[in-house]
Amino acid sequence: MQELFKAAVERGASDIHIKAGDYMRARIHGVLQPLTQQKLTVEQVRGIALQLIPHEDDRQDFEKLLDYDCSWGIPGVGRFRVNIMKQRGSPMIVMRAIPIEIPSVEDLDLPPIINKISSFERGLILVTGVTGSGKSSTMAAMINWINRNKSVHVVTLENPIEFLHRDNQSSITQRDIGTDTDSFATGLRSVLRQDPDVILIGEMRDKVTIETALKAAETGHLVISTLHTRNAVQTLSRIIAVFESSEQEMIRVRLSESLQAVISQRLVQRKEGGRVAAMEILVMTSTIRDCVRDRTRLDEIGDLIEEGREVYGSQSFDQHLTDLVKSGAVEFDVAKAAANNPADFDLKMNMFSDPRTQRAGSGQGGTSSLADEMTTLMGG
């Protein structure tokens, strides 16, 4: 089984799906492809799940587990973020591949401004996007930059721990929710007593987490966290909406003072295969802080992001997508589909897509050969 997972990762798999009654599948360059020619039985999936669960007590209670998160590694290959669930009463496993090597901003082909944002001394930085948009990789690259360039103490709270950071210029303390601390709330209550300079919170899930993150940012720490939102304006609206109406004015003020940047991202297919992150980057300015405080001015932020590109390094999704098309990295049709407003993007590009153009890296070809290769690894 380890050889099977290793071969999938070497082919560029980001996720592996293991479900009773179905083929084992891998998401390669965004497309699910079968890894086996035989469907898995309930017992086979159960056996794999039991190998992945790290705690004996949890293994013994396997039949009672409905949703279970953990991490698992293969020496020399990498780690996986594992989710074990039930569907139609039978077990299913989804494994997210996490490389051994910590990526840099340059490795991920991210805008250079991300390194500058990583250098901030204090405040709140949010990395947002839908599930599977590469947020964890972006945050790992930011911590990697800090680790190589600053002598600080970084404390991470993750569920589960994904990228394993080795101490370099910085000291990195990584705490796994459920193993090293009971919960995000418990870990966050303790973190300010652990002499941190940088705090990474795997996800701002609720009001308590948001309030604690703001408090940490207000007391002179750099806080990096994530939200499942599509763009900067939606991120601000979502945070404010978590609070009661009587609290929202004060939260607007606190957010306007503490927030330093919002990085929103979407993965799009490259022409030559693989995927690249298209990013909207909000860098806080005095004018944008005024807009955050005034609930009637949130809609102005999108235009301010575009206008601040040359001076502040901010950019909208459409600006970055335009760059990716002009550089030849991404097909026009792919970029247009990912744009905030496809019709406006079409006008801005002043060009029309060719429907006959085949999108490179679609992953439609090669499925049978991949399945054959994986079947061979499994011994037929």
Side-chain angles (χ1 to χ4, degrees):
M1 190 58 64
Q2 290 192 13
E3 288 300 316
L4 180 66
F5 294 160
K6 178 180 179 181
V9 170
E10 288 174 349
R11 294 293 295 267
S14 61
D15 300 85
I16 297 173
H17 293 211
I18 305 169
K19 183 170 68 173
D22 192 14
Y23 308 104
M24 189 181 296
R25 300 176 186 268
R27 187 176 298 280
I28 298 177
H29 304 318
V31 178
L32 277 178
Q33 301 184 27
L35 299 182
T36 60
Q37 292 181 330
Q38 294 180 344
K39 296 183 178 181
L40 300 170
T41 66
V42 170
E43 285 307 310
Q44 285 175 320
V45 177
R46 186 179 188 278
I48 295 170
L50 289 173
Q51 293 181 52
L52 301 177
I53 294 173
H55 304 297
E56 179 61 30
D57 290 346
D58 294 329
R59 287 194 290 270
Q60 291 180 359
D61 290 336
F62 178 78
E63 298 305 329
K64 298 178 183 178
L65 298 180
L66 300 180
D67 290 284
Y68 184 84
D69 293 315
C70 62
S71 57
W72 183 75
I74 303 175
V77 176
R79 289 167 54 78
F80 294 87
R81 185 179 70 197
V82 180
N83 178 258
I84 300 170
M85 72 193 89
K86 292 285 180 65
Q87 68 92 35
R88 298 182 182 178
S90 61
M92 178 177 176
I93 307 164
V94 177
M95 305 173 64
R96 167 66 54 84
I98 303 165
I100 292 177
E101 294 299 322
I102 308 297
S104 67
V105 164
E106 293 73 24
D107 293 335
L108 297 174
D109 201 17
L110 303 181
I113 187 67
I114 302 300
N115 282 336
K116 183 176 180 181
I117 291 172
S118 304
S119 73
F120 291 168
E121 295 291 330
R122 62 190 61 84
L124 178 63
I125 298 171
L126 297 175
V127 181
T128 81
V130 300
T131 300
S133 58
K135 300 186 296 296
S136 296
S137 295
T138 297
M139 290 200 303
M142 296 173 73
I143 297 299
N144 187 19
W145 187 92
I146 292 170
N147 195 18
R148 288 186 287 110
N149 292 279
K150 301 179 76 171
S151 299
V152 296
H153 182 205
V154 180
V155 179
T156 77
L157 294 167
E158 303 172 74
N159 184 24
I161 292 172
E162 299 186 22
F163 291 90
L164 294 178
H165 294 271
R166 298 178 178 87
D167 298 334
N168 191 343
Q169 292 297 313
S170 295
S171 173
I172 312 290
T173 300
Q174 295 186 263
R175 308 195 72 198
D176 182 85
I177 305 301
T179 301
D180 302 315
T181 184
D182 288 335
S183 65
F184 274 107
T186 303
L188 281 168
R189 280 196 297 269
S190 303
V191 72
L192 294 181
R193 297 193 294 270
Q194 294 159 3
D195 189 31
D197 299 289
V198 179
I199 303 167
L200 183 145
I201 306 170
E203 183 182 346
M204 295 209 307
R205 297 171 175 236
D206 51 33
K207 180 179 176 180
V208 173
T209 312
I210 294 171
E211 283 187 316
T212 309
L214 281 171
K215 179 182 177 182
E218 290 165 346
T219 52
H221 305 85
L222 180 65
V223 180
I224 304 172
S225 190
T226 70
L227 279 172
H228 291 102
T229 48
R230 289 179 57 81
N231 55 48
V233 174
Q234 188 184 80
T235 300
L236 295 167
S237 299
R238 181 76 57 83
I239 292 173
I240 294 165
V242 167
F243 294 84
E244 300 292 335
S245 56
S246 59
E247 302 173 287
Q248 289 182 1
E249 184 175 352
M250 180 53 66
I251 288 301
R252 287 178 181 278
V253 173
R254 294 177 67 188
L255 199 56
S256 70
E257 293 172 348
S258 297
L259 188 65
Q260 295 284 18
V262 179
I263 303 164
S264 301
Q265 57 188 74
R266 302 168 188 171
L267 293 182
V268 294
Q269 291 283 354
R270 290 181 180 272
K271 275 185 183 179
E272 303 302 326
R275 294 184 291 177
V276 63
M279 287 187 157
E280 177 181 86
I281 301 172
L282 178 154
V283 179
M284 293 294 283
T285 66
S286 58
T287 305
I288 292 179
R289 294 186 194 280
D290 290 339
C291 291
V292 174
R293 283 190 287 265
D294 185 347
R295 63 183 179 84
T296 66
R297 297 184 62 190
L298 276 184
D299 289 343
E300 297 177 25
I301 292 176
D303 290 336
L304 292 170
I305 290 173
E306 291 199 344
E307 292 168 7
R309 190 173 203 193
E310 293 298 323
V311 177
Y312 303 108
S314 60
Q315 64 182 29
S316 67
F317 274 119
D318 289 2
Q319 285 175 321
H320 194 197
L321 288 166
T322 298
D323 291 344
L324 292 171
V325 172
K326 288 182 176 179
S327 69
V330 173
E331 293 281 6
F332 169 73
D333 281 352
V334 175
K336 180 179 175 180
N340 279 331
N341 188 318
D344 286 350
F345 182 76
D346 200 334
L347 289 173
K348 289 176 183 178
M349 287 293 297
N350 194 27
M351 61 182 288
F352 295 93
S353 60
D354 183 355
R356 296 169 297 177
T357 301
Q358 294 183 353
R359 297 177 187 173
S362 64
Q364 296 300 316
T367 298
S368 59
S369 61
L370 179 58
D372 291 341
E373 180 181 331
M374 298 305 177
T375 302
T376 301
L377 282 169
M378 294 184 72

